[in-house]
Amino acid sequence: MSTTNFTLDQLGWRPAYAQHLTLEDFETGQPARVVGVQRSGLSVLCSRGLLAVTVPPALCAGSEPAPTVGDWVLVDADAARVRRLLPRHSLLARVAAGTAQRTQAIAANLDTLLVVTSCNADFNASRLERYLALAFDAGITPVVVLTKADLCADPESYLEAAASLAPGIAVVAVDATAAASAARLAPWLAHGRTVALAGSSGVGKSTLTNTLIDDARQDTAGIREDDARGRHTTTSRGMFALPTGAWVIDTPGMRELRVGAVDAGLDTVFDEVERLAALCRFRDCSHAGDTGCAVERAVADGRLDARRLASYHKLQREAAGASRTLRERHEKERQFGALQRQAQRAKREMRKQDR
Ligand SMILES: Nc1nc2c(ncn2[C@@H]2O[C@H](COP(=O)(O)OP(=O)(O)O)[C@@H](O)[C@H]2O)c(=O)[nH]1
Ligand SMILES: [Mg+2]
Ligand SMILES: [Zn+2]
């Protein structure tokens, strides 16, 4: 484990974060970055080095997702305890399995999401669209990384297919086992930047992480779970320093990535569908058997992929379901609040009458 002390700048601090801190905050605490999440608490890096800190339960009680890797927290100056969570500039989250639409934080304060898939049977356009919508919705730049290019006869066809999934997205093919090849990701790995790798199990996320950090093993910070070969494996989430000064977060493979109310992200990814939809005869066209539907006409003409429209419908439904649940929850909270106020009023009235 590194004993290096990190400056805020090295940890990816942004001047804008200081707006959320008072003079008193700086006197009684210090900002620290979460590099690991354990059941017992958090591992954070700050000017005092690597610390294990506890999180007061009240901090996890609200509707805001609990502290996750990449988060900035204010740590007590004289105790190993988190005082509060600083506002996030971005949050990658998914909807947890089950019906409650509970949000599960994956990583916070990301600049870039490396959406990793392989140049083989793992490549799945609809799954990629899901990740892309999630990233765009969170204000995180997605980059599609196609691994195992060295094992593939025709990486070009995968590059082309991936590039067509959202307007203007960057797509890079790499051999994740080779440093020279992984260096193609340099544009997103500048000093102080934070990137996360996401994608199915087995696509090469940990291999790529290892290749990127390998040159400077001793300088690698963060919590690393080592397997028998002494290599990094993803048993828990962690954040690692790269020799370039960037931070990389490896996420465990997700079998199911359910998205929340990512409507804005969908508009970005399915830009051409939205444009076509503007030409439908009816404004509330559902693009499913309605007369005068420009979207379905485009599918019939071969201008729009039927798969893409199906993917759009599926994600729209998911996002709408999430919005509905959120609205219902807010409505319940609102009604509950009104009831409480009513009860308080009644109590006050009774006291008045008593006097
Ligand atoms: N040849 C080659 N093998 C790779 C590449 N990326 C990953 N692998 C192999 O694929 C397997 C799974 O990789 P891993 O990093 O554990 O995937 P993860 O589950 O996404 O973390 C390992 O045996 C890697 O050596 C690549 O670009 N080229
Ligand atoms: Mg892994
Ligand atoms: Zn339509």
Side-chain angles (χ1 to χ4, degrees):
M1 193 68 58
S2 164
T3 50
T4 323
N5 299 338
F6 289 88
T7 64
L8 287 183
D9 177 58
Q10 283 173 321
L11 289 170
W13 180 261
R14 295 171 176 217
Y17 293 149
Q19 293 168 4
H20 307 297
L21 296 173
T22 63
L23 209 57
E24 198 207 334
D25 282 338
F26 276 110
E27 277 160 11
T28 55
Q30 67 179 148
R33 193 132 194 226
V34 178
V35 295
V37 177
Q38 290 87 37
R39 200 156 298 177
S40 55
L42 308 172
S43 308
V44 302
L45 281 178
C46 58
S47 56
R48 286 190 279 159
L50 182 68
L51 305 177
V53 295
T54 57
V55 183
L59 229 150
C60 305
S63 54
E64 185 86 346
T68 187
V69 175
D71 259 323
W72 280 99
V73 290
L74 191 70
V75 169
D76 249 328
D78 44 29
R81 186 177 56 214
V82 171
R83 291 176 73 89
R84 61 191 174 86
L85 177 65
L86 301 188
R88 298 153 163 152
H89 86 74
S90 69
L91 177 68
L92 189 70
R94 65 167 176 165
V95 173
T99 51
Q101 293 282 350
R102 206 168 49 79
T103 303
Q104 204 169 46
I106 302 169
N109 300 316
L110 301 180
D111 298 295
T112 308
L113 180 69
L114 302 180
V115 181
V116 188
T117 185
S118 312
C119 301
N120 58 28
D122 180 79
F123 186 94
N124 180 307
S126 304
R127 188 170 54 218
L128 290 175
E129 284 162 345
R130 188 170 279 273
Y131 279 102
L132 295 175
L134 191 68
F136 279 120
D137 200 76
I140 303 164
T141 309
V143 175
V144 177
V145 180
L146 300 163
T147 56
K148 310 191 187 183
D150 55 311
L151 304 176
C152 176
D154 183 21
E156 276 301 321
S157 64
Y158 287 97
L159 281 166
E160 230 170 80
S164 72
L165 298 179
I169 51 161
V171 183
V172 184
V174 295
D175 169 359
T177 66
S181 180
R184 286 189 197 137
L185 296 171
W188 299 279
L189 303 176
H191 175 93
R193 300 263 117 182
T194 307
V195 307
L197 295 97
S200 312
S201 201
V203 293
K205 297 181 299 296
S206 299
T207 304
L208 188 55
T209 304
N210 278 326
T211 303
L212 291 171
I213 61 183
D214 231 353
D215 311 338
R217 237 158 206 260
Q218 297 86 307
D219 294 335
T220 302
I223 300 309
R224 193 196 283 183
E225 307 284 330
D226 288 288
D227 67 14
R229 290 165 301 148
R231 303 228 79 191
H232 157 80
T233 55
T234 355
T235 49
S236 74
R237 288 162 303 158
M239 187 169 103
F240 312 97
L242 297 189
T244 60
W247 293 89
V248 62
I249 298 170
D250 188 4
T251 65
M254 285 176 274
R255 199 167 300 148
E256 185 199 29
L257 178 71
R258 263 171 74 194
V259 299
V262 294
D263 308 79
L266 290 178
D267 289 354
T268 306
V269 174
F270 295 95
D271 181 57
E272 89 281 29
V273 180
E274 295 287 336
R275 279 164 200 265
L276 286 166
L279 305 173
C280 295
R281 183 172 310 160
F282 300 109
R283 279 207 58 188
D284 62 346
C285 183
S286 61
H287 326 305
D290 312 52
T291 42
C293 177
V295 177
E296 288 191 293
R297 201 181 320 130
V299 173
D301 292 354
R303 283 175 290 133
L304 178 67
D305 198 355
R307 183 214 54 82
R308 189 145 161 98
L309 178 57
S311 170
Y312 172 80
H313 277 314
K314 185 153 195 263
L315 287 167
Q316 284 280 354
R317 272 198 301 274
E318 228 170 279
S323 305
R324 201 161 42 239
T325 312
L326 282 179
R327 264 201 314 277
E328 282 166 9
R329 188 178 304 160
H330 287 157
E331 179 58 20
K332 264 193 204 128
E333 281 166 4
R334 202 186 59 75
Q335 284 174 356
F336 183 66
L339 269 176
Q340 274 184 322
R341 282 191 298 277
Q342 219 171 27
Q344 275 159 4
R345 251 199 315 273
K347 232 192 230 164
R348 274 199 304 273
E349 287 300 319
M350 254 150 60
R351 271 202 298 264
K352 257 192 241 161
Q353 281 166 12
D354 283 350
R355 270 191 242 123

